[in-house]
């Protein structure tokens, strides 16, 4: 076939992929081409706009390095990362909801005993965290690994601070027989995602800010359960209603109560984490929002 026009070119491209051996690949690419062509027809894309899109994607790739992933940032800020997360993590009642992993997880964080101070001497408002890890039925999960990481009170992670010689404000803990773990650190602040590249330019052009509300990251793994990747957000933080990566869920917002009795301001977080058992399927038409985890 030849003489393609704006009406018949979509079917021609789809037909060209009919021999693809991988049925899933064929289905995904067919849908992609159909939506992409409909998008181009819908906005009647101009050549200057097509060139601008090619330029943005080129510079997005060029901005990536072993320390920065601008394509994930683009996915995050367009809500695609959270959409993929939502489709793949339909949670049963009693299981903690998930959110994005983010770019600041480090697999080599030190394993420390429960109760350890992970602040690394960095100054800030003291934070005491007490958590318990359970199955949705309330059964405590012993020997689960709990990775935690967070920013400092200026909104920077350790890996963003070239002057730091060691990993701080991050660690791995193990739950005890009652599923409990605890640690001390400093209160994290809200922070901007990296916005000095093409994603930052896009946000500015769209009248959007780059900020994420204050949060502590958790990744929790236990035998027989799906690994939970989530954050707990500070209920007092700005930007809860306009997170630049759309990662906030009501069930993940918690109170970090203040205690000023010692003369040294201090905050705390007490939270129950529910892990989804492996093989526990929740159908897409029955989305269940887990209850708040504040103990
Ligand atoms: Fe973060």
């Amino acid at each position: 076939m030849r003489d393609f026009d704006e009406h018949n070119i979509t079917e021609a491209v789809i037909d060209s992929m009919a021999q693809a051996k991988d049925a899933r690949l064929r289905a995904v690419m067919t849908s992609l081409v159909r939506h992409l062509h409909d998008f181009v027809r819908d906005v009647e894309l101009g050549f200057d706009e097509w060139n601008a899109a090619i330029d943005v994607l080129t510079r997005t790739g060029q901005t990536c390095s072993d320390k920065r992933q601008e394509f994930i940032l683009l996915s995050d800020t367009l809500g695609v990362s959270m959409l993929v997360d939502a489709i793949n993590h339909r949670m049963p009642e009693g299981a903690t909801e998930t959110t994005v992993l983010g770019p600041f997880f480090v697999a080599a964080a030190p394993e420390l005993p429960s109760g350890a101070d992970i602040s690394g001497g960095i100054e800030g408002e003291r934070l005491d965290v007490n958590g318990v890890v359970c199955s949705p039925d309330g059964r405590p999960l012993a020997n689960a690994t709990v990775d935690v990481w967070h920013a400092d009170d200026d909104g920077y992670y350790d890996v963003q601070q070239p002057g730091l010689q060691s990993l701080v404000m991050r660690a791995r803990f193990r739950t005890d027989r009652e599923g409990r773990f605890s640690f001390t650190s400093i209160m994290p602040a809200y922070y901007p995602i990296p916005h000095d590249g093409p994603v930052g330019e896009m946000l500015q052009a769209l009248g959007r800010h780059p900020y994420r509300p204050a949060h502590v990251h958790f990744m929790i793994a236990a035998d027989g359960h799906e690994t939970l990747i989530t954050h707990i957000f500070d209920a007092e933080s700005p930007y809860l209603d306009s997170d630049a990566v759309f990662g906030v869920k009501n069930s993940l917002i918690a109170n970090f109560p203040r205690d000023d009795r010692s003369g040294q301001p201090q905050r705390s977080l007490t939270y129950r984490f529910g892990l989804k058992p492996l093989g526990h399927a929740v159908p897409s038409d029955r989305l269940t929002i887990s209850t708040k985890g504040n103990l």
Side-chain angles (χ1 to χ4, degrees):
M1 187 177 171
R2 49 183 83 168
D3 283 335
F4 301 116
D5 60 26
E6 61 187 280
H7 303 292
N8 65 12
I9 191 166
T10 303
E11 291 310 317
V13 176
I14 290 170
D15 286 349
S16 76
M17 305 185 292
Q19 304 307 315
K21 289 192 174 67
D22 185 327
R24 173 65 179 169
L25 176 67
R26 196 167 62 241
V28 169
M29 288 303 294
T30 296
S31 180
L32 175 67
V33 167
R34 206 176 285 290
H35 285 85
L36 194 57
H37 284 211
D38 281 347
F39 156 71
V40 171
R41 275 186 285 265
D42 184 35
V43 301
E44 299 204 315
L45 199 70
F47 258 110
D48 53 340
E49 295 167 328
W50 180 85
N51 272 316
I54 298 293
D55 177 58
V56 165
L57 291 174
T58 302
R59 288 189 299 115
T60 298
Q62 289 167 340
T63 306
C64 292
S65 69
D66 59 346
K67 293 196 170 59
R68 178 159 173 176
Q69 230 303 350
E70 194 78 357
F71 270 114
I72 291 182
L73 213 52
L74 185 60
S75 166
D76 291 350
T77 50
L78 291 176
V80 176
S81 305
M82 280 306 296
L83 179 57
V84 173
D85 184 77
I87 290 167
N88 287 278
H89 291 114
R90 296 180 179 120
M91 306 306 271
E93 191 70 34
T96 300
E97 292 191 284
T98 54
T99 189
V100 288
L101 175 67
F104 300 118
F105 172 68
V106 175
E111 181 164 336
L112 297 176
S114 206
D117 179 353
I118 66 168
S119 68
I122 293 184
E123 295 197 359
E125 194 174 19
R126 179 179 161 139
L127 169 66
D128 289 332
V129 176
N130 286 281
V132 60
V133 180
C134 304
S135 257
D137 60 7
R139 184 169 48 88
L141 296 174
N143 205 34
T145 58
V146 181
D147 283 288
V148 302
W149 65 106
H150 65 81
D152 65 14
D153 66 354
D154 287 322
Y156 291 102
Y157 288 80
D158 52 358
V159 291
Q160 296 175 289
Q161 303 180 47
L164 281 176
Q165 300 301 315
S166 59
L167 297 172
V168 294
M169 301 177 292
R170 66 177 72 242
R172 168 173 285 186
F173 298 98
R174 275 181 199 276
T175 57
D176 65 15
R177 287 172 54 185
E178 280 79 46
R180 297 187 176 276
F181 68 93
S182 64
F183 64 93
T184 294
S185 193
I186 57 169
M187 201 59 201
Y190 63 86
Y191 63 83
I193 58 169
H195 58 110
D196 57 347
V199 169
E201 290 170 25
M202 177 190 77
L203 295 180
Q204 190 168 31
L206 296 174
R208 290 174 54 182
H209 68 72
Y211 291 100
R212 303 211 60 212
H215 56 270
V216 179
H217 290 261
F218 292 88
M219 176 158 36
I220 304 179
D223 286 346
H225 293 75
E226 283 187 12
T227 296
L228 170 67
I229 296 173
T230 196
H231 318 344
I232 304 301
F233 296 92
D234 174 10
E236 295 180 15
S237 177
Y239 305 112
L240 284 169
D241 291 318
S242 61
D243 181 4
V245 306
F246 306 95
V248 178
K249 293 175 176 174
N250 280 334
S251 67
L252 302 179
I253 300 172
N255 293 313
F256 288 62
R258 254 187 202 79
D259 183 350
D260 296 333
R261 283 173 298 182
S262 66
Q264 293 265 332
Q266 189 171 321
R267 307 278 297 273
S268 64
L269 168 67
T270 306
Y271 203 86
R272 173 203 167 280
F273 295 89
L275 265 57
K276 179 183 178 183
L278 285 173
H280 185 124
V282 177
S284 62
D285 59 351
R286 216 197 83 221
L287 290 175
T288 315
I289 305 302
S290 66
T291 51
K292 278 187 81 109
N294 259 120
L295 291 171

